[in-house]
Amino acid sequence: MIKGYLDRIEDNQFAVILVEEMKKEFIIPKENLPQGSKENSYFEITIENEKITSMKLDAQTTVSEQEKVDEMMTKLRSKSKGSKFKRNE
């Protein structure tokens, strides 16, 4: 089973799925996404003949990856308290 990631929806009709393991992106019709999918969702996917043949929403990976991103953003924000530039008043 390979992991895929919903990077974005283009023209409100095509879903761009990134598969890091293969270093490829797949473009599928938006209506082929599993119910509940949204940008930044992860999937367990099966690929045959260079096409995605099945997709299942992977809620657990989606949540844990989002937590990592939130953690990183919190650390970045805490490092950059205030501007390095002085305001002219």
Side-chain angles (χ1 to χ4, degrees), residues 28-56:
I28 64 168
K30 181 179 144 186
E31 61 267 11
N32 290 4
L33 290 171
Q35 193 168 356
S37 302
K38 56 185 186 275
E39 289 182 2
N40 305 327
S41 292
Y42 279 81
F43 307 97
E44 290 178 0
I45 60 177
T46 305
I47 296 171
E48 293 170 17
N49 300 324
E50 299 296 310
K51 289 190 185 282
I52 295 175
T53 55
S54 76
M55 293 179 78
K56 181 178 160 238

Side-chain angles (χ1 to χ4, degrees), residues 1 4 7 15 18 25 28 37-38 41 47 51-52 54 60 70-71 77 81:
M1 194 66 61
D7 184 53
L18 302 183
E25 71 175 29
I28 64 168
S37 302
K38 56 185 186 275
S41 292
I47 296 171
K51 289 190 185 282
I52 295 175
S54 76
Q60 190 172 354
D70 291 347
E71 231 173 78
R77 283 188 195 110
K81 290 279 186 218

Side-chain angles (χ1 to χ4, degrees), residues 14-31:
F14 298 105
V16 179
I17 308 294
L18 302 183
V19 181
E20 280 186 33
E21 201 174 306
M22 299 173 69
K23 296 193 178 359
K24 282 191 166 189
E25 71 175 29
F26 294 85
I27 297 174
I28 64 168
K30 181 179 144 186
E31 61 267 11

Side-chain angles (χ1 to χ4, degrees), residues 63-77:
V63 168
S64 67
E65 289 299 316
Q66 189 57 52
E67 285 172 356
K68 285 180 196 171
V69 169
D70 291 347
E71 231 173 78
M72 226 182 304
M73 291 305 293
T74 300
K75 284 179 185 172
L76 285 171
R77 283 188 195 110

